[in-house]
Structures are given as structure tokens and as C-alpha cells.
């Protein structure tokens, strides 16, 4: 008696093409904008990237659904609406390279005064020569030492800096750092570092982790780089510190987001902004397709899927 195929939904045709050679798989293209006629058969569903879809709504009628796959590393907006019995998987690993590249880019651009030079170019003004800051010899603190945090540390390492890592709890180091510090050590570490790169997930424990007190502990002239989530930083406190000239900030994420036209962050001195583009590069596509294929192969072989963060198959500890 023939076995029913594993029906999976993917948001674009290229993802289906990446699964075409797998026996026992029936990949259907579905952007989730409207109910799919084969919805009741779908067991593995891949959400579109950069979507505002309501997970609870799009999964209605998907009675066979076992796994929902995100294409983002962040999942906090979906965690409370995952249907009973369904496992939610994030895309850990897919955006490591792109996000780490942007963290380094923002740091170098801010420290080397690139925004000033861009403005000077637009005004056809040749800025007078003076000694400026450099990244070399700086002390860099990476707050959040998961996969992306480690990718960030690896990109900073060749720039003749000292890298220190902080995670939710202390542990042994690796080939990049001698020791990983616990988050409880953050207050003592902040005054010792010139650049602080934030890449923690947004949880109740990390919301406003960088409040007025934490920002006050950063040394004069230091730089805060946020490639995590906007609410990890107290925006009003950061505006005050940067407006005074004491700190600088390079932000790929903000709170609120998108940033309203009249928000003071747009014009605060020393603030460099990018519109949440850390993972949104063409480097994500081959990595996302490889993850989807690995997940489908695991389901075919009745093995646990990777990156399960919510639901019955999750081993995530937060």
C-alpha cells in the first residue's frame, strides 16, 4: 500500500525546486495570503520572510500541521500564538553571516566618521585633516554569544581588538574568547569597553537591558551597536546620552519600529541608523533553502527537526 507523501508548503517556487529530488515529498507553493486548497494536508509550513502575517490565522484549517518554519532568527511575536501540538522552528544560522557583517559595518562606519564624510561629499566640502578614532586597539564587548554573537566576534577578531563575550550564563570559552561571561557580570564589564555590540534575543529578561543605568556605565566616547531588537535598549535614555555627546550609537533596530518621521533619533548627534536590514541580504537564500531541505529530510526520516523553539518538539530553554 503506497505511503502518503509528506506535503510541505513553501513561500516561493525556488524553495520547491530545492526539494524536487526528494522522494516522498510534495512541495506546494503558498504565500499564506489566502487559504490553500490543500491546507488540510500540509504537515510542514514555511512562513514567508519579512512577513506581518498572523500565525494563528494562517494556520486555521491546517489540521495535519506539525511544524511551522520561520525564516527569521527572532520569534518572539509568534511564541504565544503557536497552535497546540504544533512546533515552531526559527532560522538560527540563516542570518549569522549577514547580521555579523552589518554589526562590523556599523561599527567601522561610526568609529571612522563615515556619516560625516557622506554629508561632506553631498555638500562638496573637503573636511580638514585631523586625527580621528580607529577600531584597532579597542575593547569590544559582544552581549549575546549565540551563533550570531560568535559570528560577530569572528569578524571583529582580525581588526586588532580585544573581544569579550557575554551570554545568559558563564561558561568556558572557545577559539575566539578565553571565557564567556554571564549576564550578571554586565554592569562590571560595561565601563571597561569601547564598543558594545548587542545581539541578545528579546525576552522579558532582556527588555530594556540597556536602560539609563546601564548606558551610564559605558565610558565617555564609547559606541553602542544594536543588531538585536529595539526594545532591548531604552530609547529615551539612549537619545539623552547621545544628544549630550557622551555616547554614540549605531542601530539597525529601534523602539519604536519603524521609526516615525518626527522621532528624535533621526537627528540625534552621533547616531547612525539602518532600517532593520541585518539579515536581509542575498546570503540568506541559500542558507534558508538548505535549512528547509534539512528539516524536510528529518521529517521524512522521523528524526527531530532543528531549531525548535516552541511546541512539543522544542528543547529551547530561553
Amino acid at each position: 500500500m503506497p505511503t502518503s507523501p509528506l506535503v510541505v508548503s513553501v513561500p516561493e517556487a525556488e524553495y520547491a525546486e530545492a526539494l524536487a529530488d526528494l522522494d516522498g515529498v510534495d512541495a506546494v507553493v503558498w504565500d499564506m495570503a489566502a487559504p490553500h486548497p490543500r491546507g488540510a494536508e500540509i504537515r510542514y509550513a514555511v512562513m514567508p520572510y519579512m512577513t506581518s502575517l498572523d500565525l494563528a490565522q494562517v494556520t486555521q484549517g491546517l489540521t495535519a500541521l506539525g511544524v511551522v518554519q520561520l525564516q527569521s532568527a527572532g520569534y518572539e511575536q509568534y511564541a504565544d500564538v503557536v497552535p497546540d501540538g504544533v512546533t515552531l522552528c526559527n532560522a538560527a544560522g540563516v542570518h549569522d553571516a549577514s547580521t555579523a557583517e552589518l554589526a562590523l559595518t556599523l561599527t567601522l562606519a561610526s568609529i571612522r566618521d563615515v556619516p560625516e564624510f557622506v554629508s561632506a561629499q553631498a555638500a562638496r566640502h573637503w573636511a580638514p585633516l585631523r586625527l580621528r578614532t580607529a577600531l584597532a586597539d579597542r575593547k569590544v564587548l559582544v552581549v549575546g554569544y549565540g551563533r550570531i554573537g560568535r559570528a560577530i566576534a569572528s569578524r571583529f577578531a582580525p581588526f586588532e581588538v580585544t573581544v569579550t563575550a557575554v551570554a545568559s550564563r558563564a561558561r568556558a570559552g572557545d577559539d575566539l574568547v578565553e571565557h564567556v561571561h554571564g549576564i550578571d557580570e554586565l554592569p562590571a564589564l560595561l565601563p571597561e569597553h569601547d564598543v558594545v555590540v548587542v545581539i541578545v534575543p528579546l525576552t522579558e529578561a532582556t527588555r530594556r537591558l540597556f536602560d539609563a543605568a546601564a548606558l551610564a556605565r559605558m565610558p565617555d566616547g564609547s559606541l553602542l551597536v544594536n543588531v538585536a531588537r529595539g526594545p532591548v535598549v531604552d530609547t529615551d535614555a539612549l537619545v539623552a546620552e547621545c544628544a549630550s555627546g557622551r555616547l554614540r550609537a549605531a542601530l539597525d533596530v529601534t523602539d519604536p519600529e519603524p521609526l516615525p518621521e518626527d522621532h528624535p533619533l533621526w537627528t540625534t548627534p552621533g547616531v547612525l541608523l539602518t532600517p532593520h536590514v541585518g539579515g536581509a541580504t542575498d546570503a540568506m537564500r541559500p542558507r534558508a533553502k538548505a535549512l528547509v531541505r534539512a528539516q524536510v529530510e528529518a521529517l521524512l526520516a522521523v528524526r527531530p527537526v532543528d531549531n525548535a523553539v516552541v511546541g512539543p518538539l522544542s528543547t529551547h530553554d530561553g
Side-chain angles (χ1 to χ4, degrees), residues 65-90:
L65 186 64
V67 178
V68 172
Q69 177 69 60
L70 302 178
Q71 294 190 69
S72 60
Y75 61 91
E76 62 276 358
Q77 67 269 42
Y78 303 108
D80 295 331
V81 293
V82 180
D84 290 342
V86 174
T87 295
L88 180 70
C89 296
N90 74 347

PDB file of all heavy atoms in Angstrom, residues 65-90:
ATOM      1  N   LEU A  65      -0.989  19.875  10.369  1.00  0.00           N
ATOM      2  CA  LEU A  65       0.239  20.643  10.567  1.00  0.00           C
ATOM      3  C   LEU A  65       1.000  20.184  11.813  1.00  0.00           C
ATOM      4  O   LEU A  65       0.426  20.043  12.890  1.00  0.00           O
ATOM      5  CB  LEU A  65      -0.097  22.131  10.698  1.00  0.00           C
ATOM      6  CG  LEU A  65       1.099  23.094  10.781  1.00  0.00           C
ATOM      7  CD1 LEU A  65       1.904  23.066   9.493  1.00  0.00           C
ATOM      8  CD2 LEU A  65       0.600  24.512  11.062  1.00  0.00           C
ATOM      9  N   GLY A  66       2.299  19.953  11.640  1.00  0.00           N
ATOM     10  CA  GLY A  66       3.147  19.569  12.760  1.00  0.00           C
ATOM     11  C   GLY A  66       4.236  20.580  13.062  1.00  0.00           C
ATOM     12  O   GLY A  66       4.621  20.768  14.213  1.00  0.00           O
ATOM     13  N   VAL A  67       4.738  21.260  12.002  1.00  0.00           N
ATOM     14  CA  VAL A  67       5.863  22.172  12.174  1.00  0.00           C
ATOM     15  C   VAL A  67       5.644  23.430  11.336  1.00  0.00           C
ATOM     16  O   VAL A  67       5.299  23.351  10.161  1.00  0.00           O
ATOM     17  CB  VAL A  67       7.200  21.515  11.751  1.00  0.00           C
ATOM     18  CG1 VAL A  67       8.356  22.505  11.898  1.00  0.00           C
ATOM     19  CG2 VAL A  67       7.475  20.265  12.584  1.00  0.00           C
ATOM     20  N   VAL A  68       5.850  24.590  11.956  1.00  0.00           N
ATOM     21  CA  VAL A  68       5.899  25.867  11.251  1.00  0.00           C
ATOM     22  C   VAL A  68       7.344  26.348  11.269  1.00  0.00           C
ATOM     23  O   VAL A  68       7.986  26.385  12.325  1.00  0.00           O
ATOM     24  CB  VAL A  68       4.990  26.925  11.904  1.00  0.00           C
ATOM     25  CG1 VAL A  68       5.223  28.295  11.272  1.00  0.00           C
ATOM     26  CG2 VAL A  68       3.530  26.528  11.768  1.00  0.00           C
ATOM     27  N   GLN A  69       7.842  26.700  10.101  1.00  0.00           N
ATOM     28  CA  GLN A  69       9.223  27.136   9.953  1.00  0.00           C
ATOM     29  C   GLN A  69       9.285  28.630   9.671  1.00  0.00           C
ATOM     30  O   GLN A  69       8.728  29.114   8.686  1.00  0.00           O
ATOM     31  CB  GLN A  69       9.902  26.376   8.801  1.00  0.00           C
ATOM     32  CG  GLN A  69      11.333  26.799   8.518  1.00  0.00           C
ATOM     33  CD  GLN A  69      12.261  26.383   9.643  1.00  0.00           C
ATOM     34  OE1 GLN A  69      12.377  25.194   9.929  1.00  0.00           O
ATOM     35  NE2 GLN A  69      12.927  27.338  10.260  1.00  0.00           N
ATOM     36  N   LEU A  70       9.964  29.376  10.540  1.00  0.00           N
ATOM     37  CA  LEU A  70      10.232  30.786  10.279  1.00  0.00           C
ATOM     38  C   LEU A  70      11.511  30.930   9.473  1.00  0.00           C
ATOM     39  O   LEU A  70      12.375  30.043   9.478  1.00  0.00           O
ATOM     40  CB  LEU A  70      10.382  31.550  11.596  1.00  0.00           C
ATOM     41  CG  LEU A  70       9.209  31.514  12.568  1.00  0.00           C
ATOM     42  CD1 LEU A  70       9.562  32.295  13.832  1.00  0.00           C
ATOM     43  CD2 LEU A  70       7.947  32.074  11.926  1.00  0.00           C
ATOM     44  N   GLN A  71      11.649  32.069   8.798  1.00  0.00           N
ATOM     45  CA  GLN A  71      12.899  32.380   8.113  1.00  0.00           C
ATOM     46  C   GLN A  71      13.665  33.474   8.838  1.00  0.00           C
ATOM     47  O   GLN A  71      14.626  34.017   8.297  1.00  0.00           O
ATOM     48  CB  GLN A  71      12.621  32.798   6.667  1.00  0.00           C
ATOM     49  CG  GLN A  71      12.053  31.674   5.813  1.00  0.00           C
ATOM     50  CD  GLN A  71      12.021  32.037   4.361  1.00  0.00           C
ATOM     51  OE1 GLN A  71      13.066  32.168   3.696  1.00  0.00           O
ATOM     52  NE2 GLN A  71      10.831  32.228   3.824  1.00  0.00           N
ATOM     53  N   SER A  72      13.253  33.764  10.048  1.00  0.00           N
ATOM     54  CA  SER A  72      13.942  34.734  10.889  1.00  0.00           C
ATOM     55  C   SER A  72      14.471  34.031  12.129  1.00  0.00           C
ATOM     56  O   SER A  72      13.938  32.996  12.546  1.00  0.00           O
ATOM     57  CB  SER A  72      12.986  35.857  11.311  1.00  0.00           C
ATOM     58  OG  SER A  72      11.897  35.323  12.049  1.00  0.00           O
ATOM     59  N   ALA A  73      15.508  34.611  12.723  1.00  0.00           N
ATOM     60  CA  ALA A  73      16.010  34.062  13.979  1.00  0.00           C
ATOM     61  C   ALA A  73      15.106  34.458  15.134  1.00  0.00           C
ATOM     62  O   ALA A  73      14.860  33.688  16.055  1.00  0.00           O
ATOM     63  CB  ALA A  73      17.440  34.546  14.225  1.00  0.00           C
ATOM     64  N   GLY A  74      14.579  35.690  15.080  1.00  0.00           N
ATOM     65  CA  GLY A  74      13.661  36.146  16.110  1.00  0.00           C
ATOM     66  C   GLY A  74      12.293  35.503  15.949  1.00  0.00           C
ATOM     67  O   GLY A  74      11.812  35.311  14.835  1.00  0.00           O
ATOM     68  N   TYR A  75      11.667  35.190  17.061  1.00  0.00           N
ATOM     69  CA  TYR A  75      10.363  34.519  17.012  1.00  0.00           C
ATOM     70  C   TYR A  75       9.412  35.013  18.086  1.00  0.00           C
ATOM     71  O   TYR A  75       8.304  34.475  18.247  1.00  0.00           O
ATOM     72  CB  TYR A  75      10.541  33.006  17.159  1.00  0.00           C
ATOM     73  CG  TYR A  75      11.171  32.581  18.470  1.00  0.00           C
ATOM     74  CD1 TYR A  75      10.395  32.279  19.586  1.00  0.00           C
ATOM     75  CD2 TYR A  75      12.555  32.498  18.600  1.00  0.00           C
ATOM     76  CE1 TYR A  75      10.970  31.899  20.790  1.00  0.00           C
ATOM     77  CE2 TYR A  75      13.142  32.128  19.801  1.00  0.00           C
ATOM     78  CZ  TYR A  75      12.355  31.829  20.886  1.00  0.00           C
ATOM     79  OH  TYR A  75      12.923  31.469  22.077  1.00  0.00           O
ATOM     80  N   GLU A  76       9.805  36.067  18.819  1.00  0.00           N
ATOM     81  CA  GLU A  76       9.033  36.482  19.983  1.00  0.00           C
ATOM     82  C   GLU A  76       7.584  36.860  19.644  1.00  0.00           C
ATOM     83  O   GLU A  76       6.669  36.637  20.436  1.00  0.00           O
ATOM     84  CB  GLU A  76       9.726  37.651  20.700  1.00  0.00           C
ATOM     85  CG  GLU A  76       9.881  38.927  19.892  1.00  0.00           C
ATOM     86  CD  GLU A  76      11.097  38.955  18.998  1.00  0.00           C
ATOM     87  OE1 GLU A  76      11.887  37.985  19.014  1.00  0.00           O
ATOM     88  OE2 GLU A  76      11.260  39.945  18.277  1.00  0.00           O
ATOM     89  N   GLN A  77       7.346  37.384  18.436  1.00  0.00           N
ATOM     90  CA  GLN A  77       5.985  37.799  18.091  1.00  0.00           C
ATOM     91  C   GLN A  77       5.069  36.613  17.785  1.00  0.00           C
ATOM     92  O   GLN A  77       3.851  36.779  17.691  1.00  0.00           O
ATOM     93  CB  GLN A  77       6.002  38.768  16.902  1.00  0.00           C
ATOM     94  CG  GLN A  77       6.439  38.160  15.569  1.00  0.00           C
ATOM     95  CD  GLN A  77       7.926  38.285  15.330  1.00  0.00           C
ATOM     96  OE1 GLN A  77       8.725  38.075  16.229  1.00  0.00           O
ATOM     97  NE2 GLN A  77       8.293  38.636  14.113  1.00  0.00           N
ATOM     98  N   TYR A  78       5.640  35.428  17.636  1.00  0.00           N
ATOM     99  CA  TYR A  78       4.851  34.232  17.324  1.00  0.00           C
ATOM    100  C   TYR A  78       4.721  33.271  18.504  1.00  0.00           C
ATOM    101  O   TYR A  78       3.897  32.365  18.476  1.00  0.00           O
ATOM    102  CB  TYR A  78       5.479  33.469  16.155  1.00  0.00           C
ATOM    103  CG  TYR A  78       5.647  34.290  14.902  1.00  0.00           C
ATOM    104  CD1 TYR A  78       6.906  34.716  14.488  1.00  0.00           C
ATOM    105  CD2 TYR A  78       4.550  34.641  14.119  1.00  0.00           C
ATOM    106  CE1 TYR A  78       7.073  35.467  13.330  1.00  0.00           C
ATOM    107  CE2 TYR A  78       4.704  35.397  12.969  1.00  0.00           C
ATOM    108  CZ  TYR A  78       5.963  35.800  12.576  1.00  0.00           C
ATOM    109  OH  TYR A  78       6.113  36.551  11.441  1.00  0.00           O
ATOM    110  N   ALA A  79       5.536  33.450  19.507  1.00  0.00           N
ATOM    111  CA  ALA A  79       5.656  32.437  20.563  1.00  0.00           C
ATOM    112  C   ALA A  79       4.341  32.139  21.262  1.00  0.00           C
ATOM    113  O   ALA A  79       4.077  30.987  21.638  1.00  0.00           O
ATOM    114  CB  ALA A  79       6.710  32.876  21.582  1.00  0.00           C
ATOM    115  N   ASP A  80       3.503  33.150  21.426  1.00  0.00           N
ATOM    116  CA  ASP A  80       2.263  32.964  22.189  1.00  0.00           C
ATOM    117  C   ASP A  80       1.070  32.552  21.339  1.00  0.00           C
ATOM    118  O   ASP A  80      -0.030  32.372  21.871  1.00  0.00           O
ATOM    119  CB  ASP A  80       1.919  34.255  22.950  1.00  0.00           C
ATOM    120  CG  ASP A  80       2.956  34.587  24.012  1.00  0.00           C
ATOM    121  OD1 ASP A  80       3.585  33.651  24.542  1.00  0.00           O
ATOM    122  OD2 ASP A  80       3.134  35.786  24.304  1.00  0.00           O
ATOM    123  N   VAL A  81       1.263  32.430  20.025  1.00  0.00           N
ATOM    124  CA  VAL A  81       0.126  32.113  19.151  1.00  0.00           C
ATOM    125  C   VAL A  81       0.335  30.814  18.370  1.00  0.00           C
ATOM    126  O   VAL A  81      -0.396  30.536  17.421  1.00  0.00           O
ATOM    127  CB  VAL A  81      -0.172  33.274  18.178  1.00  0.00           C
ATOM    128  CG1 VAL A  81      -0.668  34.489  18.937  1.00  0.00           C
ATOM    129  CG2 VAL A  81       1.048  33.626  17.333  1.00  0.00           C
ATOM    130  N   VAL A  82       1.334  30.038  18.761  1.00  0.00           N
ATOM    131  CA  VAL A  82       1.561  28.747  18.088  1.00  0.00           C
ATOM    132  C   VAL A  82       0.422  27.794  18.470  1.00  0.00           C
ATOM    133  O   VAL A  82       0.143  27.609  19.662  1.00  0.00           O
ATOM    134  CB  VAL A  82       2.919  28.150  18.494  1.00  0.00           C
ATOM    135  CG1 VAL A  82       3.145  26.810  17.794  1.00  0.00           C
ATOM    136  CG2 VAL A  82       4.047  29.116  18.179  1.00  0.00           C
ATOM    137  N   PRO A  83      -0.248  27.182  17.492  1.00  0.00           N
ATOM    138  CA  PRO A  83      -1.354  26.270  17.815  1.00  0.00           C
ATOM    139  C   PRO A  83      -0.887  25.091  18.668  1.00  0.00           C
ATOM    140  O   PRO A  83       0.266  24.658  18.583  1.00  0.00           O
ATOM    141  CB  PRO A  83      -1.829  25.794  16.433  1.00  0.00           C
ATOM    142  CG  PRO A  83      -1.361  26.837  15.474  1.00  0.00           C
ATOM    143  CD  PRO A  83      -0.071  27.354  16.035  1.00  0.00           C
ATOM    144  N   ASP A  84      -1.779  24.574  19.484  1.00  0.00           N
ATOM    145  CA  ASP A  84      -1.472  23.406  20.305  1.00  0.00           C
ATOM    146  C   ASP A  84      -1.033  22.245  19.417  1.00  0.00           C
ATOM    147  O   ASP A  84      -1.627  21.979  18.369  1.00  0.00           O
ATOM    148  CB  ASP A  84      -2.711  22.987  21.109  1.00  0.00           C
ATOM    149  CG  ASP A  84      -3.045  23.995  22.206  1.00  0.00           C
ATOM    150  OD1 ASP A  84      -2.161  24.786  22.555  1.00  0.00           O
ATOM    151  OD2 ASP A  84      -4.199  23.970  22.685  1.00  0.00           O
ATOM    152  N   GLY A  85       0.024  21.578  19.857  1.00  0.00           N
ATOM    153  CA  GLY A  85       0.507  20.417  19.124  1.00  0.00           C
ATOM    154  C   GLY A  85       1.410  20.736  17.961  1.00  0.00           C
ATOM    155  O   GLY A  85       1.926  19.829  17.297  1.00  0.00           O
ATOM    156  N   VAL A  86       1.628  22.022  17.677  1.00  0.00           N
ATOM    157  CA  VAL A  86       2.475  22.447  16.558  1.00  0.00           C
ATOM    158  C   VAL A  86       3.804  22.964  17.098  1.00  0.00           C
ATOM    159  O   VAL A  86       3.845  23.663  18.111  1.00  0.00           O
ATOM    160  CB  VAL A  86       1.789  23.536  15.716  1.00  0.00           C
ATOM    161  CG1 VAL A  86       2.736  24.087  14.645  1.00  0.00           C
ATOM    162  CG2 VAL A  86       0.525  22.983  15.074  1.00  0.00           C
ATOM    163  N   THR A  87       4.887  22.610  16.432  1.00  0.00           N
ATOM    164  CA  THR A  87       6.223  23.067  16.807  1.00  0.00           C
ATOM    165  C   THR A  87       6.633  24.236  15.925  1.00  0.00           C
ATOM    166  O   THR A  87       6.461  24.196  14.701  1.00  0.00           O
ATOM    167  CB  THR A  87       7.243  21.922  16.660  1.00  0.00           C
ATOM    168  OG1 THR A  87       6.920  20.886  17.603  1.00  0.00           O
ATOM    169  CG2 THR A  87       8.659  22.413  16.929  1.00  0.00           C
ATOM    170  N   LEU A  88       7.161  25.277  16.543  1.00  0.00           N
ATOM    171  CA  LEU A  88       7.673  26.433  15.820  1.00  0.00           C
ATOM    172  C   LEU A  88       9.189  26.358  15.772  1.00  0.00           C
ATOM    173  O   LEU A  88       9.845  26.174  16.799  1.00  0.00           O
ATOM    174  CB  LEU A  88       7.247  27.721  16.523  1.00  0.00           C
ATOM    175  CG  LEU A  88       7.708  29.032  15.878  1.00  0.00           C
ATOM    176  CD1 LEU A  88       6.968  29.274  14.572  1.00  0.00           C
ATOM    177  CD2 LEU A  88       7.494  30.206  16.841  1.00  0.00           C
ATOM    178  N   CYS A  89       9.745  26.490  14.573  1.00  0.00           N
ATOM    179  CA  CYS A  89      11.202  26.483  14.396  1.00  0.00           C
ATOM    180  C   CYS A  89      11.651  27.841  13.876  1.00  0.00           C
ATOM    181  O   CYS A  89      11.024  28.406  12.964  1.00  0.00           O
ATOM    182  CB  CYS A  89      11.625  25.405  13.395  1.00  0.00           C
ATOM    183  SG  CYS A  89      11.270  23.716  13.919  1.00  0.00           S
ATOM    184  N   ASN A  90      12.737  28.363  14.427  1.00  0.00           N
ATOM    185  CA  ASN A  90      13.273  29.610  13.885  1.00  0.00           C
ATOM    186  C   ASN A  90      14.375  29.287  12.874  1.00  0.00           C
ATOM    187  O   ASN A  90      14.646  28.118  12.579  1.00  0.00           O
ATOM    188  CB  ASN A  90      13.756  30.542  15.001  1.00  0.00           C
ATOM    189  CG  ASN A  90      15.054  30.087  15.637  1.00  0.00           C
ATOM    190  OD1 ASN A  90      15.518  28.958  15.437  1.00  0.00           O
ATOM    191  ND2 ASN A  90      15.658  30.962  16.433  1.00  0.00           N
TER     192      ASN A  90
END
